């Protein structure tokens, strides 16, 4: 009886610590990413300040201090950019930067694609809901996707949807599917709700979810096996 008990304890502990571990990894990645943006600027400044009075300001050269101040500087930069983008001057400056990037080969493709994807996710396409379910890999399994554009089939004029299907737990990677409109299963989810569902691996979700496309009946469950006749 000792081995099964140890196995159950190990599995219970693993399932308890795994979400905390994944959260720590994501937070650490974001923390490092944000701090690395400003570190080339804040690092030399802190080094110069520490050299003025090494005894009083020597703590500025500590790694954790530089990381923390670089993170704060990045967050302030993001807030400042958000405030400036709401003003006329900031909008003109942003258009000037976009024009400058547009003249750089390859960089204009990356920036333009990222900018269009973010704009698309903020607006609802005509004729369909933003967050949908698509059949993948067959009609009895679904994947969550975002409709990015509604197209028409050449020759027939049938409406098609370009659906971006993100991966779990990193929604920034994924793949693109072209799906007929009638094959989409619409949902009433917002983009934030869908992102929470994807990042959490389905742990954060409503109790009910649509599964069949409109007008497509759900097949009834198979009948239970017949009981053997008794004599």
């Amino acid at each position: 009886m000792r081995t099964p008990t140890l196995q159950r304890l190990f599995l219970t502990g693993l399932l308890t610590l795994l979400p905390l571990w994944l959260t720590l990894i994501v937070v650490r990645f974001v923390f490092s990413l944000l701090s690395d943006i400003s570190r080339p600027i804040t690092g030399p400044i802190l080094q110069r300040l520490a050299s003025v009075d090494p005894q009083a300001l020597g703590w500025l050269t500590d790694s954790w201090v530089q990381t923390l101040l670089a993170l704060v500087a990045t967050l302030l930069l993001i807030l400042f950019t958000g405030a400036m983008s709401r003003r006329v001057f900031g909008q003109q400056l942003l258009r000037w930067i976009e024009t400058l990037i547009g003249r750089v080969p390859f960089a204009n493709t990356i920036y333009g694609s990222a900018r269009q994807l973010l704009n698309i996710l903020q607006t609802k396409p005509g004729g369909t809901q933003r967050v949908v379910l698509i059949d993948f890999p067959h009609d009895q399994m679904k994947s969550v996707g975002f409709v990015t554009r509604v197209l028409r089939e050449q020759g027939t004029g049938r409406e098609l949807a370009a659906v971006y299907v993100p991966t779990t737990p990193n929604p920034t990677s994924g793949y693109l599917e072209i799906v007929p409109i009638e094959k989409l299963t619409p949902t009433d989810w917002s983009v934030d709700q869908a992102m929470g569902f994807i990042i959490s691996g389905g742990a954060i979700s409503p109790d009910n979810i649509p599964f069949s496309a409109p007008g497509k009946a759900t097949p009834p469950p198979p009948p239970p096996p017949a009981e053997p006749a008794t004599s």
Side-chain angles (χ1 to χ4, degrees), residues 67-218:
T67 300
L68 180 60
L69 293 180
L71 174 63
V72 172
T74 301
L75 294 178
L76 291 177
L77 176 61
I78 293 174
L79 293 175
F80 176 76
T81 303
M84 290 297 296
S85 63
R86 294 178 174 269
R87 300 180 179 272
V88 177
F89 172 76
Q91 294 175 356
Q92 293 177 347
L93 179 61
L94 180 61
R95 284 194 293 267
W96 179 80
I97 294 176
E98 290 178 343
T99 303
L100 183 63
I101 295 177
R103 297 177 180 177
V104 180
F106 188 67
N108 56 358
T109 302
I110 298 176
Y111 180 83
S113 300
R115 183 76 264 174
Q116 289 178 7
L117 179 59
L118 292 176
N119 291 338
I120 284 171
L121 292 179
Q122 294 175 0
T123 59
K124 183 186 295 186
T128 186
Q129 169 66 26
R130 164 67 60 208
V131 182
V132 297
L133 304 180
I134 64 171
D135 296 339
F136 182 82
H138 54 75
D139 59 357
Q140 292 303 307
M141 297 181 68
K142 300 289 185 180
S143 291
V144 180
F146 300 98
V147 177
T148 58
R149 189 176 181 183
V150 177
L151 312 169
R152 289 193 178 275
E153 183 179 11
Q154 185 176 359
T156 65
R158 182 174 60 162
E159 285 189 321
L160 306 172
V163 183
Y164 173 68
V165 181
T167 56
T168 300
N170 179 16
T172 59
S173 65
Y175 53 91
L176 180 66
E177 294 282 347
I178 307 297
V179 185
I181 289 292
E182 63 272 14
K183 295 291 186 179
L184 300 177
T185 301
T187 71
D188 58 356
W189 291 4
S190 66
V191 173
D192 292 340
Q193 289 175 320
M195 283 297 187
F197 180 78
I198 294 168
I199 294 174
S200 67
I204 302 176
S205 67
D207 294 332
N208 300 307
I209 182 175
F211 195 81
S212 299
K216 185 177 180 180
T218 304

Side-chain angles (χ1 to χ4, degrees), residues 35 38-47 66 69-70 73:
S35 62
S38 299
R39 192 187 298 272
I41 300 175
T42 59
I45 294 176
L46 295 177
Q47 291 284 354
Q66 295 191 6
L69 293 180

